[in-house]
Amino acid sequence: MKRMAVVLAAGLGKRMKSKLHKVLHPVCGKPMVGHVLDAAAAAGCERTIVVVGHGAEKVQAYVGDRAECVLQAEQLGTGHAVLQADKLIGGEAGTTIVVCGDTPLIRPETIRAMLDAHERSGAAATLLTAVVPDPSGLGRVIRGKNGNVERIVEHKDCSEDELNITEINAGTYCFDNRKLFDALGKVKNDNAQGEYYLTDVIGILHEAGETIAAYRTPDPAEAAGVNDRIALAEAERLMRERINRRHMEAGVTFIDPAVTYIDADVAIGADTVIYPGTVLRGRTVIGEDCVIGPQADITDSVVGRGVTIRHSVLLESEVGDECSVGPYANLRPGSKLAAGCKIGDFVELKNASLGEGTKVSHLSYVGDAVVGRDVNIGCGAITVNYDGYNKSITEIGDRAFIGSNVNLIAPVKIGEDAYVVAGSTITQDVKPNDMAIARERQVNKEGYAERLRARARAKKERSGQN
Ligand code: UD1
Ligand code: CA
């Protein structure tokens, strides 16, 4: 049986009070519509169509080549939205899933199970329902005397009795494709909101003698449509719990999952321990046996195995096996550490690659640099990579020793096994095995300290200060 999906993503999302189109608001780092597309893809759909309208260009740009987009120029309701896909798939035989772009918590397993049940039962439509403690704002599922679903009534169109129904329409459906588009042609907008409701298709099919099945999820979260920021925060919390649970099941230790924030697409190896306050974002990958956090903020970075990262920020960086980073290090884009490096406190790296076993232990800036292996960069040493107009490269050979508080004025090359003496400001290349010293010679003046103090005291008395 051919499977297709229609994702509804044209609405404005007025209640979000946002410049960003609703379905692009991220939940655990991924736009809501991205979660829905993932779920639809996992159900094995041959064609997926996203209905776009408000913010169409941005939504389409995000969707990219994952699905076809069709424009709903005016938002006349969810039924009208699905109808826009008529010209693409209206004539096809098969099953179509319809999912709202604002239900990020829908699980792929649920869609799959629902599809299987739908195709086995031969029903014209199967809708996902849930029993929720507070159904306000949601469509109510009306069942007949025999318990079969007969129609859906939107909150604003409910009678007093209907308002008491707690079984709600989750906004996810499976339809016999041709019957769906036939019925959509008959939907009218004579309701409280003056909209063409997709939910009216259920009543129309029932009236025509078709069977309507319901698939009730035990997890009401799956039905939670995000309409405002309060629901967004709640979806974030529920998604976070799900993500953290998945990692724990796969062998990752969380000291406190309630305060550990992992984006949906992050990968973490087994036996890694995550300490509180850690935020792992984007496409970050963490290897096995690491200790991450407390307070590690890592985005789009790849971390090897056996790495320790404490109280540090990493963005678009690579960290090799057995490295140690932090506390209080800032790895900016293009930082690449080979295995066994040590980056200590208050060290900033940017566009810098470090060879195996290299150490930058305290208070350094290393930017636009190519550093060899087993190099030691002393406390406070920095690369001077910017003249206000141009960025220049610093090269440091294997096993070189850069003393404390050295300035390396780029472009400059320090050869292998070279030794740069503490406090030097280096403007010329240093050959391998050479020692470079570039600082004023020291002069000691005997007893001069007391003379200085006497002079200062006298000045203070003259000015009458206390
Ligand atoms: C809808 C259902 C309701 C269900 C709830 C579950 C209808 C009429 N009602 O209500 O029964 O309980 O979802 O969350 O379907 N959209 C368009 N074009 C439009 C209107 C909406 O693409 O013209 C999209 C929105 O972007 C959104 C989705 O459809 O992603 C749902 O629309 P929304 O207005 O949020 O519907 P609800 O009132 O939540
Ligand atoms: Ca909604």
Side-chain angles (χ1 to χ4, degrees), residues 65-177:
D65 54 13
R66 297 184 66 190
E68 301 162 66
C69 287
V70 65
L71 184 72
Q72 184 194 20
E74 261 188 297
Q75 284 67 52
L76 303 179
T78 48
H80 179 258
V82 177
L83 202 52
Q84 308 309 304
D86 192 11
K87 51 185 178 284
L88 295 177
I89 54 168
E92 305 273 359
T95 304
T96 296
I97 321 165
V98 178
V99 199
C100 293
D102 67 350
T103 53
L105 292 160
I106 185 80
R107 284 190 173 85
E109 305 85 285
T110 302
I111 293 193
R112 268 201 303 268
M114 194 181 158
L115 264 168
D116 290 342
H118 173 78
E119 287 172 355
R120 263 199 317 271
S121 72
T126 302
L127 56 133
L128 186 67
T129 75
V131 173
V132 297
D134 175 16
S136 59
L138 295 164
R140 309 297 205 279
V141 177
I142 313 291
R143 290 176 182 262
K145 287 199 184 69
N146 55 8
N148 288 343
V149 174
E150 294 188 345
R151 61 203 166 88
I152 298 168
V153 183
E154 289 306 299
H155 182 97
K156 287 183 179 154
D157 301 301
C158 278
S159 66
E160 291 229 344
D161 282 349
E162 286 164 345
L163 283 174
N164 292 325
I165 295 172
T166 54
E167 186 181 14
I168 57 93
N169 166 33
T172 301
Y173 323 75
C174 299
F175 290 105
D176 174 296
N177 187 62

Side-chain angles (χ1 to χ4, degrees), residues 273-328:
V273 179
I274 315 269
Y275 277 82
T278 291
V279 186
L280 305 179
R281 307 172 209 253
R283 310 211 159 270
T284 293
V285 177
I286 309 279
E288 295 186 0
D289 302 315
C290 294
V291 177
I292 307 294
Q295 311 286 348
D297 180 347
I298 306 178
T299 305
D300 294 330
S301 295
V302 178
V303 173
R305 50 182 305 287
V307 172
T308 301
I309 300 177
R310 287 177 298 151
H311 296 280
S312 292
V313 178
L314 283 75
L315 175 61
E316 294 166 29
S317 293
E318 290 171 28
V319 178
D321 297 345
E322 310 288 340
C323 285
S324 160
V325 177
Y328 313 111

Side-chain angles (χ1 to χ4, degrees), residues 350-369:
K350 186 218 72 175
N351 186 34
S353 65
L354 272 52
E356 235 171 85
T358 285
K359 293 189 174 76
V360 190
S361 297
H362 346 257
L363 299 160
S364 285
Y365 170 64
V366 179
D368 299 312

Side-chain angles (χ1 to χ4, degrees), residues 10-23 25 32 54 75 77-78 100-103 134-140 154-156 193 195 197 223-233:
L12 171 61
K14 226 185 288 168
R15 289 165 279 177
M16 295 295 284
K17 307 240 167 76
S18 179
K19 289 178 283 302
L20 185 64
H21 180 64
K22 175 161 82 172
V23 299
H25 275 267
M32 290 198 261
H54 279 283
Q75 284 67 52
T78 48
C100 293
D102 67 350
T103 53
D134 175 16
S136 59
L138 295 164
R140 309 297 205 279
E154 289 306 299
H155 182 97
K156 287 183 179 154
Q193 303 188 80
E195 288 184 2
Y197 292 159
V226 172
N227 296 325
D228 58 27
R229 307 271 182 161
I230 295 155
L232 183 66

